[in-house]
Structures are given as structure tokens and as C-alpha cells.
Amino acid sequence: MECHPMLALSIMLLLNHINPCAAAAAPSSKANTQYIKTSCSMTLYPALCYTSLSIYAEKIKTSPKVLAHTALNVSLAATKATSVVINRCSRLHGLKAIEAAATLDCVEEVSDALDELRESIDEFGHAVKGSRNFPLQISDVQTWVSAALTDEDTCMDGFDKLNGKVETVIRKEILKISRLTSNALALINNYASN
Ligand SMILES: *[C@@H]1O[C@H](CO)[C@@H](O)[C@H](O)[C@H]1NC(C)=O
């Protein structure tokens, strides 16, 4: 029998659906995503929390520490991407003086936020719950993440009365990273307090 490519494809798709391993993996995976959903309900932006973290469900499982660590990683990655965008914006020609100044301030603030998030991740990696140093370490982590959040808010404030295209782009970027950072802080607080 000649093997038609479309037929081969349909058989493959069919086999995927009845793969017994996939079925066996499903219950645990559902428990993991449910854990993320429940934890995210404690954050200020639960939907964003869930969509940004559920892809790591297999790694997070039901660990509050890995969950918070992953949230910090996600926030750092997004802040890096935002930093690239804002740096590009700051080099645009034709910005009004006030826009150029606000954008340059933002470049600085986002770069500070990046450093603070890196510090927080480093410290969080060393914090072992139950150890004598844990309260001090977790308090340092909370301080670093709060500082990052403040820097992001300060950048946003600089655009309060500006409404050009560049400001719209930057505002959207900063809103996203400040929400991710706020969620990471909530998950850290939850891990610290339980
Ligand atoms: C966080 O990112 C670091 C560096 O990319 C990686 O080594 C680590 O496994 C990540 N941790 C989690 C919990 O995702």
C-alpha cells in the first residue's frame, strides 16, 4: 500500500491521542498546574501569574520555593527584554527633550531593577528554610525585589503626563514587568510565611 503523507500524519496524530504514557502523566501534571493556579490566586495579577508559570509546572511540581524562584527568573528574563526595548527607544531621533529625559531615566531605573533582581535571585538560592540565617536572607530578598518594584514604578511615573508613541510602548513594557515582579514578591512572601 502506498503511504500517503496525509494518512501517515493522521495515524501519527491518532497515536498521540492514545499514547498510554501521555495518559499516565496527565493526573500529576493536572495536580501541578492546579497548585500553580491556587498559589497564583494569592497574587495581585493571578491570570498573568498562571500563564507565566504554568509552562514550568513539571519543574515546579508543588514546591513553594521552586515556584517563587521560577517567578523571579521569569521576572528577570522579562526585565532583560524590556531593558533592550527601552535602550532602543532612548536612541530614537526626534524625541522631545522631555521624552528623551524620561526615557533616559527609565534606562537607568530598569538597569537598577535588573541588578536588584539578580541580587535577589542569588540570595534566594542560598536561603534554606529552617536554617538560622533564613529570616535575614529572606528579608534581604524581599528588600531587593521591593527595590526593583520601586525602580519600575519610578520609571512609570516619569511618563505620567506624556502620551506619544514611545511612551505608550515603554508604559506597556514596564506595566508587564512590574506586575511580574509584584507577583514574584507575593510568592516569596507566601513561601517565607508558611
Ligand atoms: C533560574 O535560572 C537559572 C539561570 O538561568 C537556572 O539555573 C535555574 O535552574 C532557574 N531556576 C528555576 C527554579 O527555574
Side-chain angles (χ1 to χ4, degrees):
M1 191 179 101
E2 196 187 306
C3 190
H4 194 275
M6 278 313 286
L7 182 62
L9 185 66
S10 338
I11 291 172
M12 249 172 58
L13 289 175
L14 188 66
L15 284 177
N16 264 339
H17 279 289
I18 56 171
N19 180 347
C21 292
S28 105
S29 152
K30 185 145 187 271
N32 294 343
T33 52
Q34 187 54 48
Y35 171 72
I36 295 174
K37 189 162 273 176
T38 307
S39 307
C40 281
S41 70
M42 294 176 262
T43 67
L44 283 180
Y45 310 99
L48 175 66
C49 176
Y50 183 74
T51 53
S52 64
L53 295 171
S54 56
I55 46 173
Y56 304 105
E58 293 309 316
K59 193 173 175 189
I60 294 167
K61 298 194 166 62
T62 57
S63 160
K65 176 159 192 184
V66 181
L67 178 65
H69 198 152
T70 306
L72 279 174
N73 275 2
V74 166
S75 179
L76 177 68
T79 307
K80 272 185 197 160
T82 290
S83 158
V84 171
V85 171
I86 299 184
N87 270 298
R88 268 187 212 135
C89 290
S90 76
R91 286 191 231 105
L92 284 177
H93 297 291
L95 292 182
K96 290 183 207 135
I98 185 168
E99 292 174 321
T103 307
L104 272 183
D105 283 347
C106 248
V107 166
E108 193 63 34
E109 281 137 11
V110 171
S111 157
D112 289 348
L114 266 180
D115 289 341
E116 286 145 1
L117 286 172
R118 285 197 186 101
E119 292 285 353
S120 75
I121 290 173
D122 186 46
E123 188 76 39
F124 193 73
H126 293 120
V128 178
K129 210 166 179 178
S131 81
R132 198 163 48 88
N133 290 335
F134 184 77
L136 191 61
Q137 287 171 320
I138 206 74
S139 147
D140 279 349
V141 171
Q142 288 161 328
T143 304
W144 287 121
V145 180
S146 302
L149 205 49
T150 304
D151 278 317
E152 291 154 7
D153 287 346
T154 308
C155 160
M156 203 69 161
D157 289 346
F159 291 97
D160 254 4
K161 296 193 180 60
L162 303 173
N163 275 305
K165 279 204 182 99
V166 170
E167 290 90 89
T168 309
V169 169
I170 296 182
R171 208 178 276 125
K172 201 172 149 203
E173 286 284 324
I174 297 290
L175 204 58
K176 186 184 69 198
I177 62 169
S178 69
R179 287 177 172 174
L180 288 171
T181 308
S182 155
N183 283 347
L185 186 57
L187 295 173
I188 291 164
N189 294 344
N190 179 57
Y191 167 64
S193 67
N194 273 338

